[in-house]
Amino acid sequence: MSKWWKERIVYQIYPRSFQDSNGDGIGDIPGIISRLDELKELGVGVIWLSPVYKSPDIDNGYDISDYRDINPKFGTMADMEHLFAEAKKRDIKIIMDLVINHTSDEHDWFIKSCDKDSPYRDYYIWKPANPNGGPPNNWTTFFGENAWEYDPKSDEYYLHLFHEAQPDLNYRNPKVIEEIKDIMRFWLKKGAAGFRCDVINLIYKTSFEDGIHRTAITGREHFVSQEGMHKILQELHRDVLSHFDCFTVGESVFVSLRDAKMLSDPEREELDMVFYFDHLQVDRMVEKYIPKKFNASKLLRILTKWQQGLDWNAVYLENHDQPRIVSHYGNDSEYWERSAKLLATLLLTLRGTVFIYQGQEIGMTNFEFTNISQIDDLETLGVDRLLKQFWIPQSLRYKMIMPCSRDNARTPMQWNAEPGAGFTTGEPWLGINKNHAIINVEEQKERTGSIYRFYKSMIGFRAISNTLKYGEFAPVYSDKRVIAYTRTIPGEEQFSVILNFSDKPATSPFEGSLVGKVVVTNVGRDTYDGNLAPWEAVVLKVW
Ligand code: TEU
Ligand code: CA
């Protein structure tokens, strides 16, 4: 069934790095408003706004201390209302980041909850020490430490799957669920068109037994994609979401296809789509800090599994937690421009709602961090500490963590070649990539053949093509470097997409659905004969 949220392009804004309006070095809401025309011009139909709520910013806003207030760094509630109104004028919808697995430890609920006799005690997960002493169980956090924090005052521990300043809410308490419903209604009534739901498949903890020991996130079998979570999501849908014209995308970690299917099955009425991570881990071991060789066949296998396995996908290659895709699966030096266009071709020819992360449309690259002091990301700092405990020398540590640091995606947006990159007139909160002198929006908007222009034209092509939006996906060919797939509306139209993920020339078979008229090219070719240049992307109209 067609829906507006299946057809619009979603653009993720990481507010602190998007546009500063007052020279304090931090992006803000008035800054976003000043760039709305720019987003409209690119073809954006929905903005996903990373958290702008009141927060002590231990995890850059993913630790919320008041869900109904705005972080003063970003502006005021009046600014936020102005943003909704200005976006609406341009027919751009906004989805909010719903971070409800945990709050900040400065949230009023948590402060009250530290009192053992408070009615708020049960809003969080408090447990006495293990009978043998120490924390209640062996679970570990996403940032590498034990997941329990001791509170001497009440002589109990509270659970935090992320930082200790992010205590987990207790979803066995119906009052917590009612609070969340109220918060959702508050934002939907203000004009939000839905939510991106942070680590939503972790909210329900089935038991508190020790987990099977792992190098990371021990205990996960007790809290990933539990039956209790499905029930809660159905309740939120029934009582809140179904009353508004909105959509939800749930970030789901360690999610299996089966669980993702349940989460996004329209019949079950939980979420509309989910973010999963498999397709971004082709060149990573289970622990993302250990690299392995990229293999295009494996990428196509994973894409096929999810494209065919789910009714509707959330399609993305970047977000604020991932390295820049051109530095990850592309080539950010010699073939920077061409490989960024190949990745744009991939993104915009898959079936699902397309998400673009700020800066991706100009091929922003990873930052060359040379020292841990340049890093703000909690996760990177945590992993560095952990690796140090294993006596791993600094040079090797940096080699492991820097290419994956979440800060690669968090450096300020590169608007122009000026010293502050058009992002700020002040001192930016996080280093600006030196390459903004070359890689920036202003330069690429003006230049025919730029990555920005390529994104814009692919977005335009997709907007008028039912086949790209809704056509079936089928794999056609792959080897270590090349993948090819088709998008088809039976009896109507078929496209095939052929991509060479390598610095070397390559070939694809030249028969069947791999023969057709060239409709998209990143090398300026008129006809296709089975030979691909390095990092070439071509879309053929087969019939
Ligand atoms: O991310 C969840 C999560 O698993 C990341 O912490 C993880 O580091 C990432 O997938 C890369 O491996 C969400 C938010 O997107 C993230 O920014 C928050 O830090 C986290 O939840 C806690 O709210
Ligand atoms: Ca500012």
Side-chain angles (χ1 to χ4, degrees), residues 139-325:
W139 297 2
T140 57
T141 73
F142 280 70
F143 302 141
E145 279 134 356
N146 183 277
W148 297 91
E149 185 72 8
Y150 181 64
D151 168 42
K153 214 179 98 224
S154 62
D155 190 30
E156 283 193 333
Y157 292 77
Y158 67 85
L159 178 71
H160 59 93
L161 294 182
F162 293 86
H163 192 267
E164 64 262 28
Q166 294 167 297
D168 281 48
L169 283 164
N170 175 17
Y171 279 87
R172 289 151 177 266
N173 181 351
K175 279 196 223 140
V176 169
I177 302 175
E178 291 309 315
E179 298 271 15
I180 299 303
K181 288 182 197 165
D182 276 348
I183 290 165
M184 292 168 75
R185 288 188 195 106
F186 175 86
W187 286 104
L188 291 165
K189 282 184 191 153
K190 272 214 185 294
F195 301 101
R196 174 267 186 184
C197 311
D198 192 62
V199 290
I200 198 68
N201 67 329
L202 302 182
I203 59 174
Y204 194 85
K205 285 79 179 170
T206 300
S207 89
F208 294 92
E209 283 156 40
D210 274 348
I212 302 161
H213 184 79
R214 303 176 201 261
T215 40
I217 317 162
T218 293
R220 63 177 84 150
E221 62 277 17
H222 300 296
F223 52 75
V224 169
S225 306
Q226 305 291 300
E227 181 51 31
M229 165 213 62
H230 289 295
K231 289 223 177 70
I232 293 164
L233 289 176
Q234 286 167 3
E235 186 179 333
L236 298 179
H237 190 280
R238 184 194 67 212
D239 292 353
V240 183
L241 297 165
S242 67
H243 302 277
F244 294 85
D245 179 21
C246 65
F247 81 99
T248 51
V249 49
E251 185 200 27
S252 40
V253 291
F254 305 113
V255 74
S256 65
L257 178 63
R258 185 181 158 273
D259 291 328
K261 233 175 168 148
M262 288 169 77
L263 281 163
S264 61
D265 177 356
E267 303 270 294
R268 292 175 57 92
E269 306 197 316
E270 296 181 18
L271 300 168
D272 294 305
M273 60 191 107
V274 300
F275 288 130
Y276 45 83
F277 298 88
D278 276 15
H279 65 301
L280 294 177
Q281 286 159 355
V282 172
D283 60 347
R284 298 277 139 196
M285 306 296 272
V286 189
E287 312 309 348
K288 72 170 186 177
Y289 294 97
I290 306 174
K292 68 175 184 221
K293 213 171 150 50
F294 176 85
N295 181 328
S297 275
K298 187 172 169 208
L299 176 64
L300 186 63
R301 213 159 48 236
I302 294 172
L303 289 173
T304 303
K305 167 178 159 187
W306 292 92
Q307 285 277 304
Q308 296 187 336
L310 292 182
D311 191 66
W312 193 251
N313 275 264
V315 175
Y316 78 102
L317 296 173
E318 284 187 23
N319 63 36
H320 65 294
D321 292 332
Q322 295 293 328
R324 291 291 184 176
I325 195 66

Side-chain angles (χ1 to χ4, degrees), residues 325-393:
I325 195 66
V326 69
S327 300
H328 183 193
Y329 285 174
N331 172 323
D332 63 8
S333 48
E334 191 187 347
Y335 292 105
W336 163 69
E337 198 158 72
R338 202 188 286 171
S339 66
K341 291 179 191 170
L342 172 141
L343 293 159
T345 308
L346 170 67
L347 180 75
L348 286 146
T349 56
L350 291 173
R351 186 185 141 91
T353 299
V354 173
F355 291 75
I356 298 174
Y357 179 68
Q358 66 185 44
Q360 186 178 347
E361 75 277 27
I362 54 167
M364 275 178 65
T365 64
N366 278 0
F367 191 93
E368 296 210 355
F369 297 105
T370 49
N371 196 290
I372 199 84
S373 66
Q374 297 164 308
I375 296 282
D376 169 86
D377 173 17
L378 273 185
E379 183 183 273
T380 310
L381 299 173
V383 176
D384 186 54
R385 259 197 316 275
L386 195 75
L387 295 176
K388 229 180 194 161
Q389 285 170 16
F390 291 103
W391 300 97
I392 298 181

Side-chain angles (χ1 to χ4, degrees), residues 7 442 453 503:
E7 307 199 346
E442 201 176 278
R453 295 268 189 111
D503 294 348

Side-chain angles (χ1 to χ4, degrees), residues 415-425 432-434 436-437 440 442:
W415 295 104
N416 62 35
E418 284 163 26
F423 163 71
T424 186
T425 51
I432 295 176
N433 199 319
K434 282 198 288 293
H436 75 274
N440 65 68
E442 201 176 278

Side-chain angles (χ1 to χ4, degrees), residues 489-501:
I489 295 187
E492 224 176 85
E493 189 173 46
Q494 180 171 72
F495 290 123
S496 65
V497 180
I498 312 165
L499 309 170
N500 175 11
F501 282 86

